[in-house]
Amino acid sequence: MAATRTILITGGAGFIGSHLVRLFVHKYPHYHIVNLDALTYAGNLANLQDIEQAPNYTFVKGDIRDQEYMQVLFNRYGFDGVIHLAAESHVDRSITNPLAFVETNVLGTVNLLNVARQTWKDDFSGKRFYHVSTDEVYGSLGEEGLFTEETPYDPRSPYSASKASSDHFVRAWYHTYGLPVVLSNCSNNYGPYQFPEKLIPLMINNIRENKPLPVYGDGKYTRDWLWVKDHAGAIDQVFHKGKDGETYNIGGNNEWKNIDLVQKLCDILDELLGHAAGTSRQLITFVKDRPGHDRRYAIDASKIRRELGWEPSIKFEEGFRQTAQWYLDNPGWLQQVISGDYQDYYKQQYD
Ligand code: NAD
Ligand code: DAU
């Protein structure tokens, strides 16, 4: 069957990207999905093993910063749409190596915008450039309030500054050149295939290994957690039904203080591992805080709910349990990603 649309997904071998690629490959058999990923430490083709033979799926190894190569790909495949997730995504790494974040998140995004515009040659009918961004661009909340689409940008880490900058460039291409763009800004995701540098998989892995659970500062920093498959579902809605030039906030309406979340995780894992109640909580260790640590994020997702009919599908307790169980059921995946470079990263970050 000839594909009715050819979609480029960047960063599809990463955490969220792999869930999105899988969703699109299954849900839209008449689309051709091309997954472009540089396979950095965070990209992993094992995340997509189950669909690698699908007839409507192609993986291409490449770097969004490489203008010539991106142009070759656009010419070869004739993309109708781009869903752009490729990024450096970890705040702690942005503190030790900010330049990598500028290069990929800012320059890489501008490169893609340029290539899309040059290829589509100002005939934008049926085209769409979707930029996937983060709630961190809005800065840090106090005890009260939620981020809306109108909240002024106030990024405070090199990561969020680079994402904020890329968002501005995407909007500039809309206003200046008429490129049909759409954006979304999402809260913290959790679920299978997340690299164990991020809070939840790092804690699960350390509980498995009976290692200290490093909680930054006073542990009262708050995040709004969303099941990754719900984020993929929201991206699907925004890509197909969102309006050009618009931004949609996506969140789980599910705020947790880090310390409460880590304790909850300890209790669930004690149960799943058959440990006595309270065993894993003894591993909790308060450590030096993250510099410039944002106190609280929380999303007002009423726009996407009202306009596109999207809502999170599962409750945190259930998503959390499924996530913990997935990591326990997939020790081979974990072992692969924590070998080699991860050990050096862990030492540098936590020792
Ligand atoms: P991730 O780090 O798991 O994956 C990023 C992917 O991008 C990896 O596969 C990596 O190989 C690839 N990549 C990195 N640099 C590249 C380059 N120069 N060229 C091509 N590919 C490159 O990230 P994630 O958590 O899946 O996040 C995906 C996107 O969603 C990012 O843009 C991030 O800012 C955004 N986001 C993430 C969250 C979250 O909670 N994880 C929340 C909101 C928004
Ligand atoms: O809000 C969306 C963002 O969520 C995404 O844009 C980012 O890509 C993603 O990494 C995530 O950023 P955070 O910095 O919120 O996620 P992280 O998992 O690194 O940390 C979550 C919270 O847990 C944060 O308050 C820091 C804290 N933390 C984290 C680690 C890794 C700890 O206390 N100890 C740790 O070891």
Side-chain angles (χ1 to χ4, degrees), residues 16 88-92 133-136 159 163 186-189 194 196-203 213-217 219 221-225 258 262 287 289-290 293-295 297 345-346 349-350:
I16 300 169
E88 289 293 337
S89 69
H90 191 40
V91 173
D92 292 325
S133 193
T134 172
D135 61 355
E136 301 201 8
Y159 164 69
K163 291 297 288 188
C186 187
S187 64
N188 287 62
N189 286 214
Q194 187 168 32
E197 63 189 352
K198 309 279 166 55
L199 180 73
I200 290 179
L202 185 142
M203 295 297 167
L213 307 178
V215 174
Y216 295 163
Y221 294 85
T222 301
R223 298 291 183 263
D224 174 0
W225 292 95
N258 293 336
V262 172
V287 300
D289 211 347
R290 171 185 281 176
H293 198 169
D294 289 336
R295 193 64 171 166
Y297 305 143
Y345 166 76
Y346 199 91
Q349 180 66 24
Y350 295 99

Side-chain angles (χ1 to χ4, degrees), residues 16 19 23 186 189-190 225-237 250-252 304 310-316 319:
I16 300 169
H19 287 278
L23 174 71
C186 187
N189 286 214
Y190 70 94
W225 292 95
L226 178 68
W227 175 236
V228 62
K229 293 183 192 183
D230 282 334
H231 187 191
I235 293 174
D236 180 16
Q237 294 301 311
I250 304 169
I304 189 171
W310 174 86
E311 266 183 345
S313 72
I314 68 172
K315 293 265 173 290
F316 188 59

